Amino acid sequence: MAEAYIIDAVRTPRGIGKPGKGALSHLHPQHLAATCLKAIKDRNNLDTSTVDDIIWSTSSQVGKQGGDLGRMSALAAGYDITASGTTLDRFCGGGITSVNLAAAAVMSGMEDCVIAGGTEMMSFTASHGAEQANAGIKPLGMGSGNAALDAIHPQSHQGVCGDAIAALEGITREELDALALVSQERADRAIREGRFDKSLVTVYNEDGSVALDHEEFPRPETTAEGLASLKASFDAIADFDIGGTTFRKQILRRYPDLEFKGVHHAGNSSGVVDGAAALLITSPAYAEKHGLKPRGRVVAYANQGDDPTLMLNAPVPAAKKVLEKAGLKVEDIDHWEINEAFAVVAEKFIRDLHLDRTKVNPNGGAMALGHPIGATGSMLIGTTLDELERTGGRYGLITMCAAGGMAPAIIIERI
């Protein structure tokens, strides 16, 4: 089996994902994706007629984010018309999956040069979600709409699931807030020390002016007292009538004796942002032929499903699965990235795997930086590669929870 080299990784800064307020919110999703694809092309002097495919991730493939962003963004970036493209959806996990599938295509020998990545304009999906709600369309988390399936696997709201998991695991709000504060402090340090600079690319407006050249979401002024003062976000949502039932009741159908209250809020949950990322994946033969120096390689990847009722618990079994595939142990991993969808996801991950906290999200996570759904996984792989190079580490493991009770995972090795 051929190896899959990671030649380069780029991403945009994350812009606040509110319509009319974030620095990227006025742009088209294709523009963000094209920014990353153009950077990959220019930084590596890439002959785009040799690109076999572009595998892209976008969770909400509707409206402006519909129409195969992978292909259309490549054309917008000036790629040769022979460079094909496709777009996938694994909810939050799509940005890892796009890289995994690109690596699989190269490792199989069927393709030699694939670009993987993702885009999510949450400023758009927020407004689109409001339109759907006004039209009476149920958003994700309100059940599948299939009564038979819902009877077997009742699903709830992600935030309510996070609160329920915290109760099941005996994790307190104070412990979750402490992790959120660490995320802000680490992100602030990483930004001040330029740890993201290697991968970060400026987003320009159509007129050539700068739209965004820095992270817009972090709140370095965050304090423990400020976090403690925030009102829990999901108590009211948990008991909101969703057609004869509630999100809390959906969970209690599976866990009838569970008592839980809101422990997650805006400060210890992932930020709503806009952003895009891309990675260049090639075979060794392609890299040698085109004079490209690999920065890393894909060691192994895995996919894992778990209880869809709690939705957020698949990262731990996904990590164990990919470690087994790679023939590695927990102590072999120098850098861990677990997406901070909610603080409880990262806290449970650290506890269950008995991890050294200094090796987990050392540059902050989504609670500080934001979580552009379909793009986040690709961003985290790039962050891991940068950090391995900065510290001299060898292996990095990246995983994240995804709706429906799933988690993709990947292990990369620095070259």
Side-chain angles (χ1 to χ4, degrees):
M1 184 182 296
E3 290 192 324
Y5 280 170
I6 303 175
I7 303 299
D8 202 6
V10 302
R11 69 173 179 87
T12 69
R14 298 168 177 92
I16 292 172
K18 294 183 178 180
K21 295 184 179 180
L24 302 177
S25 63
H26 64 291
L27 297 171
H28 196 285
Q30 285 181 18
H31 186 84
L32 292 193
T35 294
C36 291
L37 290 171
K38 188 175 186 303
I40 284 286
K41 173 171 66 77
D42 293 345
R43 285 166 45 134
N44 299 282
N45 194 27
L46 183 65
D47 177 359
T48 59
S49 69
T50 67
V51 174
D52 293 308
D53 206 3
I54 296 148
I55 304 177
W56 215 248
S57 161
T58 305
S59 183
S60 297
Q61 294 181 35
V62 293
K64 292 191 295 184
Q65 292 200 155
D68 190 358
L69 280 181
R71 169 62 170 176
M72 304 314 293
S73 300
L75 295 175
Y79 275 43
D80 193 276
I81 59 171
T82 59
S84 186
T86 188
T87 303
L88 60 87
D89 174 13
R90 198 194 290 274
F91 304 123
C92 297
I96 292 178
T97 295
S98 65
V99 177
N100 289 350
L101 293 179
V106 170
M107 294 168 79
S108 72
M110 291 295 101
E111 293 179 329
D112 292 296
C113 178
V114 184
I115 298 173
T119 302
E120 203 76 45
M121 295 285 290
M122 297 186 75
S123 55
F124 161 69
T125 57
S127 59
H128 180 76
E131 292 173 1
Q132 284 188 310
N134 291 333
I137 300 173
K138 292 182 178 181
L140 177 68
M142 289 191 179
S144 67
N146 181 314
L149 178 59
D150 288 344
I152 301 170
H153 297 298
Q155 297 187 63
S156 186
H157 183 282
Q158 290 97 322
V160 179
C161 290
D163 290 342
I165 292 168
L168 283 166
E169 298 293 325
I171 301 173
T172 67
R173 170 165 170 166
E174 290 74 20
E175 290 169 325
L176 299 177
D177 284 355
L179 189 64
L181 183 59
V182 168
S183 184
Q184 291 287 350
E185 292 171 345
R186 289 179 174 181
D188 180 51
R189 180 186 62 196
I191 291 168
R192 286 187 286 103
E193 294 182 357
R195 296 186 186 184
F196 299 140
D197 292 355
K198 188 170 187 176
S199 295
L200 210 62
V201 294
T202 299
V203 180
Y204 294 93
N205 292 309
E206 295 290 351
D207 64 4
S209 61
V210 173
L212 189 63
D213 62 1
H214 64 278
E215 298 291 348
E216 191 177 27
F217 188 79
R219 300 175 294 278
E221 71 281 2
T222 299
T223 63
E225 293 76 17
L227 290 170
S229 71
L230 295 175
K231 182 180 179 181
S233 297
F234 304 111
D235 276 334
I237 294 174
D239 297 311
F240 183 74
D241 184 357
I242 51 171
T245 187
T246 67
F247 292 128
R248 189 185 304 277
K249 289 179 180 178
Q250 292 289 80
I251 291 174
L252 294 180
R253 287 169 61 187
R254 293 289 300 277
Y255 303 91
D257 298 325
L258 180 65
E259 295 182 7
F260 65 95
K261 63 180 181 179
V263 291
H264 287 93
H265 49 75
N268 62 20
S269 303
S270 56
V272 176
V273 295
D274 300 330
L279 293 94
L280 176 58
I281 312 293
T282 78
S283 65
Y286 180 97
E288 183 178 2
K289 179 179 179 180
H290 294 273
L292 298 173
K293 183 179 179 180
R295 297 174 58 193
R297 73 178 185 95
V298 175
V299 177
Y301 73 84
N303 296 297
Q304 183 70 46
D306 201 79
D307 182 1
T309 298
L310 291 179
M311 200 176 298
L312 311 176
N313 281 341
V316 170
K320 292 179 178 179
K321 185 176 182 179
V322 77
L323 284 168
E324 183 177 357
K325 284 182 176 292
L328 297 173
K329 299 178 181 179
V330 166
E331 50 267 30
D332 294 321
I333 304 300
D334 302 294
H335 179 97
W336 300 80
E337 286 287 338
I338 169 66
N339 186 43
E340 296 171 349
F342 301 94
V344 74
V345 177
E347 183 64 25
K348 184 178 187 300
F349 189 80
I350 292 168
R351 293 185 184 196
D352 286 1
L353 294 173
H354 308 288
L355 301 182
D356 178 348
R357 289 178 179 268
T358 64
K359 295 182 178 182
V360 183
N361 300 354
N363 295 322
M367 291 186 287
L369 295 162
H371 173 28
I373 308 296
T376 303
S378 297
M379 288 183 170
L380 296 184
I381 295 170
T383 295
T384 299
L385 184 59
D386 287 345
E387 187 66 7
L388 290 174
E389 290 177 338
R390 187 186 74 84
T391 62
R394 182 177 181 182
Y395 292 115
L397 190 154
I398 306 97
T399 187
M400 59 203 306
C401 60
M406 297 185 291
I410 184 173
I411 294 175
I412 66 170
E413 180 182 13
R414 176 181 65 87
I415 296 179

